[in-house]
Amino acid sequence: MAEREGMVAQLHATEVAPRKSSQQDMSGGATGAVLTAPAAAHMDEKSGMGDDKGTLDSSSIVSSESEIPTEEELRTLRKVSDKLPWSAFIVALVELCERFAFYGLSGPFQNYIQNPYGDPKVPGALGLDQTGATGLGNFFQFWCYVTPILGAIVADQYLGKFNTIVYFSIVYITGLIILFVTSLPVAIEHGAALGGLIAAMIIIGLGTGGIKSNVSPLIAEQYRGTKPKIRVLPKTGERVIIDPAVTIQRIYMIFYLCINVGSLSAIATTELELHVGFWSAYLLPLCMFLLGFVILLMGKKFYIVRPPKGSVITSAFRALWIGLMNRGNMNAAKPSYQDEYGRKYKTPWNDLFIDELKRGLVACKVFVFFPVYWVVYSQMLNNFISQAATMELHGIPNDIMQNIDPITLIIFIPIFDRLIYPFLRKIGIPFRPITRITFGFFTAALAMAYAAIVQHIIYASPPCYNAPSACDVPNQVHVAVQTPAYLLIGISEIFASITGLEYAFTKAPPSMKSFVMSMFLLTTAFGSALGIALSPTAKDPKLVWMYTGIAVAAVLAGVLFWVIYSKYNNTEEEMNAMEDMGEKPVAANEIPASGVLAHDFDPETGRRDSHV
């Protein structure tokens, strides 16, 4: 059956498609014949050609024939990105709306929790002071990044990514409604705000967990290229390689750009918090999320997804157990190994599943040091806001400064994607994922070192010196001094956070994309747990030493990360090549609401026949 489909696809590509009028994709590149989602799932997408920036469109293709590069060509030719499918942009737009809601409601949290209701200096509602606000904020971050494990299991085993996102979005909407209602002045005055906030945090965290673990792999799955191909640039005659790995890198750059466009909502919500009230600051995220939910449902017919795989998570843990029982030898879980050395364990999977699982384990090992990075990142969500409250604000909200981070990313992501990374590839510097993540740790350390300097300047300034939180007037330091710390964190995200998303997708087995992505997101939860442990030090006059300690920890984590994992740079392309061996995805509208396909399913193993 698969061979017949391949022959039909080849006939369509060579005989039918050339006769159809060309169309343009969202970035301006010609796409050739328009395909329905099911057809696209069984065909290799036509790669476009390119400009000098590292993206190809079909206007530059010399020949429609694609050459498979040799080992020598893989080492020497410049690698560029393919064009991106429409459906990837739809998913990115949905994520933009969800992140608009998430960061819009998170932005006012520190003031909402820390300051008392009716405070003449800054807005507030609960009056739990800085330590309480930082601790509760870290709990929310922790919860939001633990729940993706549940979302991943539901998606990979039962419902599939699209259906899981839909159901958990409904949960998310429920939490937003609770937050909005309990932030109304009448609710705050009658003591309902604290209970409503905790309930909303739990429900929203559950909803965002089901979305986060699935939307990140869903956007990358829209691109179906798995093999590098050679094209020739007509203007220069340069032979270049259309590289799926570079394309995935670009997809996550765009994905992260959309996240940070959405996160600018904190500008609006903090202004609403200051001038109207917290209820208006939480109503705006609710409305934007509802818009994103409508876009998600309307785009269903365009998405390409992988169907759920029944007992895949259970099978993975069974295979890991076999490996542990054999002193870490994962090959012992292969059916071929069991056949050769005596069948001691039941192995209802094939050898490829174990090879894919080993590749996924590489990603999970790489994530071990990320909690230290997320401790740095979380500072701008809580302690930087409190730091700004002790400085001269000149009429702006103290929690608006955090928006320098997404603005930095919106400016620098295109610069890195279109200029810096292509230039490095052109001069022969691949700048592979492990190297990028290491740079991220060191840049984050610089941000914390600078924050320590700023805190020292605050403590050295009148009128309150090293007890600014106890004063009714701020110390004489302009809040703009904080700017470089936010900028450095933003640059570090390009290196570490975006690359982490990319690594989680490219190294995960096809049937476990959501689960491995949830493992990466779980590192954020561990980072929040570390932040909770540090929260007792988040008070005057200990803040200089707190920032200094985090900076030292980030440097040490970066050094250890490079020493332990730099070897994986050498096997990057070999591991990525395994993506072509997995089963093909299907259109989202082919998967029922129950998530289980009626055909091609083995009830004994809980897997589709093509993978067993």
Side-chain angles (χ1 to χ4, degrees):
M1 181 65 181
E3 291 178 356
R4 290 180 58 194
E5 289 176 345
M7 291 173 63
V8 172
Q10 184 177 10
L11 177 64
H12 185 282
T14 57
E15 300 296 333
V16 181
R19 302 174 192 168
K20 297 197 175 184
S21 59
S22 64
Q23 306 289 329
Q24 286 196 328
D25 68 5
M26 296 184 72
S27 60
T31 63
V34 179
L35 301 176
T36 63
H42 295 286
M43 292 180 61
D44 286 333
E45 290 188 336
K46 294 282 186 183
S47 295
M49 272 222 93
D51 52 23
D52 308 350
K53 307 290 186 183
T55 304
L56 299 183
D57 63 69
S58 58
S59 62
S60 308
I61 297 179
V62 172
S63 170
S64 62
E65 295 297 324
S66 298
E67 296 181 40
I68 303 300
T70 63
E71 291 293 330
E72 177 66 20
E73 288 168 332
L74 284 170
R75 287 194 301 268
T76 58
L77 296 185
R78 183 164 65 97
K79 296 176 181 178
V80 298
S81 171
D82 203 350
K83 70 180 187 296
L84 305 183
W86 277 80
S87 53
F89 290 92
I90 299 174
V91 176
L93 184 58
V94 171
E95 176 66 357
L96 186 155
C97 294
E98 189 276 329
R99 290 291 91 183
F100 184 103
F102 182 85
Y103 285 105
L105 66 90
S106 299
F109 268 176
Q110 191 76 0
N111 281 347
Y112 188 75
I113 301 168
Q114 176 176 339
N115 305 316
Y117 186 61
D119 189 321
K121 236 187 1 174
V122 285
L126 301 180
L128 299 182
D129 69 38
Q130 181 174 346
T131 300
T134 300
L136 200 53
N138 279 322
F139 160 75
F140 180 61
Q141 293 295 318
F142 174 82
W143 175 240
C144 285
Y145 290 98
V146 167
T147 53
I149 296 176
L150 174 62
I153 292 173
V154 170
D156 284 342
Q157 291 203 178
Y158 303 110
L159 298 180
K161 296 179 184 64
F162 176 79
N163 289 332
T164 302
I165 292 171
V166 169
Y167 292 141
F168 277 83
S169 292
I170 296 171
V171 174
Y172 200 125
I173 291 169
T174 303
L176 286 169
I177 292 172
I178 292 172
L179 182 62
F180 162 65
V181 171
T182 57
S183 65
L184 291 166
V186 64
I188 296 174
E189 291 167 1
H190 286 80
L194 180 58
L197 175 68
I198 294 173
M201 281 183 165
I202 292 171
I203 296 171
I204 290 171
L206 184 62
T208 196
I211 296 171
K212 284 293 292 180
S213 58
N214 292 295
V215 75
S216 298
L218 180 64
I219 189 172
E221 284 182 349
Q222 304 313 299
Y223 175 68
R224 294 314 315 141
T226 56
K227 293 180 180 179
K229 299 176 183 179
I230 294 177
R231 290 290 186 271
V232 179
L233 300 180
K235 294 181 181 178
T236 62
E238 180 188 4
R239 299 173 77 241
V240 296
I241 294 175
I242 301 175
D243 189 355
V246 174
T247 306
I248 295 298
Q249 178 182 329
R250 168 156 293 171
I251 285 174
Y252 279 115
M253 284 286 217
I254 293 172
F255 181 72
Y256 212 77
L257 181 67
C258 289
I259 287 174
N260 284 277
V261 170
S263 71
L264 289 176
S265 61
I267 296 176
T269 56
T270 51
E271 286 289 340
L272 287 169
E273 156 208 340
L274 179 64
H275 299 293
V276 182
F278 285 104
W279 65 269
S280 62
Y282 295 139
L283 177 60
L284 181 61
L286 171 60
C287 294
M288 194 65 175
F289 191 90
L290 289 171
L291 174 62
F293 188 57
V294 172
I295 294 171
L296 172 71
L297 296 177
M298 292 179 64
K300 179 178 180 179
K301 63 182 179 180
F302 299 109
Y303 305 136
I304 300 296
V305 298
R306 294 185 185 274
K309 300 302 295 291
S311 59
V312 62
I313 306 296
T314 306
S315 295
F317 279 105
R318 285 172 61 189
L320 289 171
W321 176 255
I322 294 172
L324 287 173
M325 292 297 98
N326 288 268
R327 300 181 180 180
N329 179 18
M330 286 301 300
N331 289 328
K334 290 183 175 181
S336 60
Y337 184 97
Q338 291 294 311
D339 291 339
E340 183 176 354
Y341 294 99
R343 181 158 289 281
K344 185 178 178 181
Y345 303 98
K346 184 179 178 181
T347 54
W349 48 71
N350 58 17
D351 285 3
L352 176 60
F353 178 72
I354 301 303
D355 288 333
E356 291 174 339
L357 185 59
K358 288 162 64 177
R359 182 180 59 156
L361 287 174
V362 169
C364 292
K365 288 192 290 185
V366 165
F367 301 154
V368 166
F369 288 97
F370 265 89
V372 177
Y373 174 79
W374 295 123
V375 171
V376 173
Y377 175 85
S378 67
Q379 298 311 302
M380 70 177 183
L381 303 176
N382 41 57
N383 287 318
F384 279 14
I385 296 172
S386 299
Q387 184 185 67
T390 67
M391 306 169 76
E392 294 179 335
L393 297 173
H394 300 278
I396 64 172
N398 67 306
D399 45 8
I400 203 170
M401 290 295 291
Q402 62 185 309
N403 294 287
I404 294 171
D405 173 74
I407 292 171
T408 297
L409 286 158
I410 291 168
I411 294 171
F412 281 94
I413 282 176
I415 292 173
F416 275 83
D417 181 46
R418 294 286 179 171
L419 298 175
I420 296 176
Y421 286 164
F423 174 75
L424 291 173
R425 288 193 293 267
K426 193 168 187 176
I427 63 175
I429 300 176
F431 206 43
R432 292 191 171 95
I434 299 301
T435 308
R436 278 181 267 147
I437 294 171
T438 304
F439 270 70
F441 275 102
F442 292 149
T443 310
L446 286 175
M448 289 299 97
Y450 182 82
I453 293 171
V454 171
Q455 194 64 52
H456 175 74
I457 292 171
I458 293 171
Y459 284 161
S461 301
C464 305
Y465 297 99
N466 63 355
S469 299
C471 287
D472 292 330
V473 293
N475 281 8
Q476 295 174 8
V477 181
H478 198 293
V479 72
V481 174
Q482 280 191 319
T483 301
Y486 285 106
L487 190 148
L488 286 168
I489 289 178
I491 298 297
S492 77
E493 288 178 70
I494 296 176
F495 290 134
S497 184
I498 297 178
T499 308
L501 291 170
E502 172 194 335
Y503 209 78
F505 178 82
T506 57
K507 302 305 174 291
S511 57
M512 296 180 64
K513 296 290 187 186
S514 293
F515 188 75
V516 174
M517 187 65 71
S518 74
M519 291 295 101
F520 174 65
L521 298 173
L522 184 63
T523 64
T524 307
F526 288 136
S528 296
L530 290 174
I532 293 171
L534 285 172
S535 60
T537 65
K539 58 185 179 182
D540 301 322
K542 300 178 181 179
L543 289 167
V544 171
W545 293 109
M546 185 195 74
Y547 290 128
T548 302
I550 296 173
V552 171
V555 170
L556 292 176
V559 170
L560 289 172
F561 181 86
W562 175 256
V563 170
I564 296 172
Y565 301 125
S566 59
K567 61 185 178 183
Y568 292 130
N569 275 339
N570 300 325
T571 59
E572 175 69 13
E573 293 180 357
E574 179 184 339
M575 288 189 289
N576 289 343
M578 292 183 65
E579 186 71 14
D580 190 48
M581 301 176 187
E583 72 171 26
K584 300 300 181 183
V586 300
N589 54 14
E590 289 185 13
I591 299 179
S594 64
V596 180
L597 293 173
H599 66 282
D600 205 24
F601 189 77
D602 184 344
E604 180 179 351
T605 63
R607 306 174 64 79
R608 296 181 72 199
D609 292 339
S610 58
H611 193 77
V612 179

